[in-house]
């Protein structure tokens, strides 16, 4: 009973928040509604026992993608009137693409129901570990059978991150009053400034 109520609650909130993502005129509000939709979709994944996908939705999509969208939208000086003008200009192209995708979806579902498409069947090689969740089973498979591919993907992402840092890094020119810490540490006592108390009327000793 509780699971049924939770399912309908999450499903209604996902549908309502997804609708508000489209209908909101403010892009910031759209991103916030999108975050709410991700959270409720994660709740649905927990109900069906896919806690790994739920964690991915919260950590990756909410914690990274949606927050990145939010910062970009809030930090950029966006002309909303220009956005609306561009939307109306590209509206026919968007409708045409939507019709093509809908046609492909209908044809695919029809072909599957007619028996023309044969989907892959599980062979039983990746059987979940008895008594463990899908996170444990996925980790066992990922770090045994696909360890090399996993490490290769990590190296590729590291190279991409280092490349992005190198390409965007710019040397700042020394400005007025800029401190050179290394030069200050390497200075000799002879180069240091000596504070003296000259006598009145005696002048300054150079």
């Amino acid at each position: 009973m509780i699971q049924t109520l939770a399912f309908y609650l999450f499903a209604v909130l996902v549908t309502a928040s997804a609708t508000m993502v489209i209908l909101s005129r403010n892009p910031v509000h759209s991103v916030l509604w999108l975050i709410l939709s991700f959270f409720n979709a994660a709740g649905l994944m927990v109900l069906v026992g896919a806690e790994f996908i739920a964690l991915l939705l919260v950590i990756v999509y909410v914690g990274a993608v949606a927050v990145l969208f939010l910062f970009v939208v809030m930090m950029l000086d966006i002309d909303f009137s220009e956005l609306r003008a561009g939307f109306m200009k590209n509206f026919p192209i968007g409708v045409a693409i939507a019709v093509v995708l809908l046609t492909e979806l209908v044809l695919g579902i029809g072909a599957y129901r007619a028996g023309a498409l044969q989907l892959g069947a599980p062979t039983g090689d990746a059987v979940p570990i008895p008594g463990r969740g899908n996170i444990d089973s996925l980790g066992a498979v990922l770090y045994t059978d696909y360890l090399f591919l996993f490490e290769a993907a990590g190296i590729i992402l590291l190279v991409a991150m280092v490349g992005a840092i190198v390409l965007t890094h710019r040397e700042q020119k020394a400005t007025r009053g800029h401190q050179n810490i290394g030069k200050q540490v390497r200075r000799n006592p002879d180069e240091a400034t000596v504070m003296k108390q000259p006598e009145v009327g005696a002048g300054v000793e150079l």
Side-chain angles (χ1 to χ4, degrees):
M1 183 65 180
I2 297 178
Q3 292 183 351
T4 304
L5 292 177
F7 169 77
Y8 282 111
L9 176 62
F10 288 140
V12 170
L13 289 177
V14 165
T15 305
S17 56
T19 304
M20 292 303 299
V21 170
I22 302 173
L23 297 180
S24 296
R25 294 181 176 274
N26 193 332
V28 177
H29 296 168
S30 296
V31 176
L32 294 176
W33 284 113
L34 182 63
I35 293 175
L36 179 61
S37 177
F38 284 149
F39 271 115
N40 290 279
L44 290 175
M45 294 297 106
V46 172
L47 289 179
V48 298
E51 64 270 13
F52 180 74
I53 300 179
L55 290 176
L56 287 181
L57 282 173
V58 174
I59 296 175
V60 177
Y61 286 94
V62 177
V65 178
V67 174
L68 178 62
F69 288 165
L70 185 62
F71 274 102
V72 169
V73 170
M74 294 180 64
M75 294 180 65
L76 294 179
D77 187 13
I78 299 177
D79 189 359
F80 296 107
S81 60
E82 184 178 353
L83 278 179
R84 295 189 185 96
F87 173 79
M88 296 305 299
K89 179 181 178 182
N90 299 320
F91 184 74
I93 301 177
V95 172
I97 295 175
V99 170
V100 171
L101 294 177
L102 181 61
T103 305
E104 292 179 351
L105 184 61
V106 171
L107 291 177
I109 295 176
Y112 173 71
R113 291 183 175 179
L117 295 178
Q118 296 293 333
L119 300 180
T123 59
D125 297 335
V127 178
I129 301 176
R132 299 289 184 89
N134 55 6
I135 295 181
D136 297 334
S137 302
L138 183 61
V141 174
L142 187 64
Y143 290 104
T144 53
D145 299 337
Y146 300 98
L147 178 61
F148 176 75
L149 297 176
F150 183 76
E151 292 182 350
I155 293 175
I156 293 173
L157 292 175
L158 178 62
V159 171
M161 183 180 66
V162 173
I165 294 174
V166 171
L167 292 175
T168 57
H169 180 69
R170 295 291 184 271
E171 291 286 344
Q172 293 185 355
K173 296 181 179 180
T175 57
R176 196 171 202 178
H178 179 73
Q179 291 183 344
N180 190 339
I181 306 300
K183 184 178 180 181
Q184 293 178 2
V185 173
R186 294 191 303 269
R187 69 190 179 110
N188 297 323
D190 298 337
E191 300 175 354
T193 303
V194 179
M195 301 297 295
K196 293 187 177 182
Q197 296 293 338
E199 299 180 357
V200 178
V204 179
E205 180 181 354
L206 298 177

